[in-house]
Amino acid sequence: DAGVTQSPTHLIKTRGQQVTLRCSPKSGHDTVSWYQQALGQGPQFIFQYYEEEERQRGNFPDRFSGHQFPNYSSELNVNALLLGDSALYLCASSPRRYTEAFFGQGTRLTVV
Amino acid sequence: DQQVKQNSPSLSVQEGRISILNCDYTNSMFDYFLWYKKYPAEGPTFLISISSIKDKNEDGRFTVFLNKSAKHLSLHIVPSQPGDSAVYFCAATASGTYKYIFGTGTRLKVLA
């Protein structure tokens, strides 16, 4: 049983560009959350998708957007990249509330 | 506003001894708490959780204690093993919300 898979694992982008990160949840999971982890910090919640809708959003600007597909996979899009967007982006999936979320290995985004 | 705090950035323990990792929170609405372990280049891995209706939960070598009046939780690892060396994050969530709030992590080093 594959866990949460994310692609790509590493990415280098230039300021002002746009990026799309992808996530496939663990089998049987229908809820996908995205987190940003800056160096030396804990993961910070970006948003969560359930039934193809954004269910909750953290304190991130509108440059961060997402999508969930009918097969529960998800994308995170970031527009107009800033140097400060450089971080590890983590996807987590879960089957329901109050169940531990399973994380993917993350995508390391570097903005230059 | 850091609602979940891990005030010890690092901890070193001898193999076979007890490791105690601490976490404090400020939001009294939090009612579910989790511990995750993270190795370099991997995503966080779920360890153990506790609901606010309990004050202790055990799973093998891992025990989490919750003191609601002090808004404090701790993770005990007994006995500690070199493979436990990793960064440990505590996280909290509340009814009516879908996001986890993470602390900044404690790096545990278990010395052989």
Side-chain angles (χ1 to χ4, degrees):
Chain A
D1 174 28
V4 180
T5 57
Q6 293 186 241
S7 63
T9 54
H10 295 84
L11 202 52
I12 299 175
K13 288 286 190 179
T14 303
R15 272 180 302 175
Q17 284 188 317
Q18 179 264 343
V19 68
T20 297
L21 310 181
R22 294 176 175 83
C23 172
S24 293
K26 184 176 170 62
S27 177
H29 290 188
D30 58 6
T31 301
V32 173
S33 301
W34 287 92
Y35 287 80
Q36 179 196 66
Q37 185 179 12
L39 204 59
Q41 301 297 315
Q44 287 205 333
F45 178 79
I46 302 174
F47 40 55
Q48 184 181 88
Y49 276 83
Y50 173 71
E51 293 187 342
E52 303 179 50
E53 296 285 334
E54 183 184 289
R55 182 155 69 174
Q56 186 173 10
R57 188 180 184 88
N59 294 326
F60 281 81
D62 292 344
R63 299 186 297 109
F64 290 77
S65 63
H67 189 77
Q68 186 178 35
F69 298 93
N71 66 352
Y72 308 124
S73 67
S74 177
E75 288 182 350
L76 165 65
N77 300 292
V78 186
N79 293 323
L81 284 167
L82 304 174
L83 295 180
D85 295 331
S86 296
L88 180 68
Y89 288 84
L90 295 162
C91 172
S93 72
S94 57
R96 62 186 183 275
R97 281 293 317 279
Y98 287 155
T99 302
E100 64 275 12
F102 289 77
F103 283 84
Q105 83 282 8
T107 294
R108 172 72 61 188
L109 172 65
T110 302
V111 182
V112 297
Chain B
D1 177 25
Q2 190 71 24
Q3 298 184 67
V4 177
K5 300 177 186 178
Q6 294 177 257
N7 292 317
S8 298
S10 63
L11 174 68
S12 291
V13 171
Q14 286 294 131
E15 181 180 6
R17 305 295 292 266
I18 183 172
S19 295
I20 300 176
L21 296 96
N22 294 304
C23 180
D24 297 296
Y25 61 96
T26 57
N27 189 339
S28 57
M29 299 301 292
F30 289 150
D31 58 4
Y32 193 69
F33 304 88
L34 310 93
W35 284 94
Y36 281 85
K37 175 172 72 174
K38 188 178 184 303
Y39 295 117
E42 293 184 14
T45 302
F46 170 76
L47 272 178
I48 192 168
S49 62
I50 188 167
S51 164
S52 60
I53 63 173
K54 296 184 176 181
D55 54 18
K56 176 182 174 182
N57 189 27
E58 286 183 83
D59 184 0
R61 296 188 297 114
F62 302 92
T63 302
V64 56
F65 295 91
L66 176 62
N67 182 333
K68 289 185 290 293
S69 60
K71 294 190 178 67
H72 177 84
L73 64 156
S74 61
L75 174 68
H76 293 208
I77 306 173
V78 184
S80 300
Q81 300 172 354
D84 295 330
S85 298
V87 178
Y88 289 77
F89 292 97
C90 68
T93 188
S95 299
T97 180
Y98 302 98
K99 63 181 179 182
Y100 293 163
I101 306 294
F102 282 84
T104 52
T106 296
R107 182 176 301 278
L108 173 66
K109 182 179 280 189
V110 180
L111 307 170

